[in-house]
């Protein structure tokens, strides 16, 4: 069984495709791997610009070198081994481009934010700022307003303590 892809009448040829009989895994990738979800996959390739992780048959994601650690890393070669399992967070999915962006840095942030400081008032503010920053592009003005807002709140707290 095959699907007819193209018919060339002039040269009396036609092209067949076997892959088209199976459903395209990328159509379900957007719903299977929502942004922010945690996934685990097998490392298939390590390059100077990142680490490729197979999430399922036909679906690979990339942990870009800038998403490996908060510290600047020139190349991930030597840090990981092909065949190892790696837990990451999904940061973007594009079925049209057939790309899934993965991050180890996002996991580091989750671990530190959920610690003992979560009972203070600053943790929810940081989470709101992080949510605001990740929800879309911010302008410099938005960032200044957010910074000014946290400074005003701190001054109010200090004056109410006295």
């Amino acid at each position: 069984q095959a699907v007819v892809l193209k018919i060339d009448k002039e040269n009396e040829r036609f092209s067949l495709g076997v892959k088209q009989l199976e459903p395209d895994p990328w159509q379900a990738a957007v719903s299977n791997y929502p942004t922010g979800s945690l996934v685990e996959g097998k490392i298939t390739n390590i390059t100077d610009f990142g680490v490729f992780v197979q999430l399922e048959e036909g679906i690979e994601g990339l942990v870009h070198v800038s998403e490996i650690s908060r510290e600047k890393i020139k190349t991930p070669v030597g840090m990981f081994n092909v065949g190892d399992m790696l837990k990451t967070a999904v940061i973007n999915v594009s079925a049209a481009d057939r790309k899934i962006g993965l991050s180890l840095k996002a996991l580091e942030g989750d671990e530190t934010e959920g610690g003992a400081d979560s009972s203070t008032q600053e943790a929810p503010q940081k989470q709101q700022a992080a949510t605001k920053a990740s929800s879309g592009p911010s302008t410099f003005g938005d960032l200044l307003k957010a910074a000014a807002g946290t400074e005003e709140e701190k001054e109010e707290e200090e004056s109410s303590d006295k």
Side-chain angles (χ1 to χ4, degrees):
Q1 287 186 339
V3 174
V4 177
L5 300 176
K6 182 180 176 184
I7 298 174
D8 183 2
K9 291 181 183 179
E10 288 180 21
N11 295 321
E12 296 181 2
R13 294 183 181 190
F14 58 94
S15 300
L16 301 175
V18 179
K19 287 195 295 187
Q20 286 73 10
L21 292 173
E22 300 288 323
D24 184 8
W26 284 97
Q27 297 306 316
V30 175
S31 60
N32 290 347
Y33 303 104
T35 301
S37 63
L38 302 179
V39 294
E40 186 173 14
K42 186 177 185 180
I43 297 174
T44 58
N45 192 11
I46 302 167
T47 66
D48 285 338
F49 60 86
V51 178
F52 288 91
V53 179
Q54 181 177 12
L55 303 176
E56 65 180 71
E57 187 67 35
I59 301 285
E60 265 189 350
L62 173 67
V63 181
H64 191 269
V65 69
S66 65
E67 292 295 329
I68 291 175
S69 175
R70 295 194 187 285
E71 298 159 10
K72 188 167 175 84
I73 295 173
K74 289 185 180 183
T75 178
V77 176
M79 294 177 66
F80 302 95
N81 296 315
V82 172
D84 288 351
M85 296 301 285
L86 188 63
K87 287 185 181 181
T88 61
V90 176
I91 54 174
N92 62 31
V93 180
S94 173
D97 296 333
R98 295 180 169 263
K99 293 181 180 179
I100 295 181
L102 303 172
S103 175
L104 289 171
K105 266 188 352 186
L107 290 179
E108 288 176 13
D110 288 347
E111 290 170 4
T112 56
E113 283 183 20
D117 292 336
S118 62
S119 62
T120 65
Q121 289 183 341
E122 290 182 33
Q125 292 171 353
K126 286 180 182 178
Q127 287 176 338
Q128 286 175 348
T131 304
K132 210 178 244 187
S134 65
S135 65
S138 296
T139 63
F140 188 64
D142 292 339
L143 294 172
L144 287 174
K145 285 178 190 175
T150 57
E151 288 296 321
E152 288 173 8
E153 289 170 5
K154 284 182 184 177
E155 288 174 6
E156 287 175 14
E157 284 178 19
E158 288 174 3
S159 64
S160 66
D161 290 340
K162 292 179 183 177

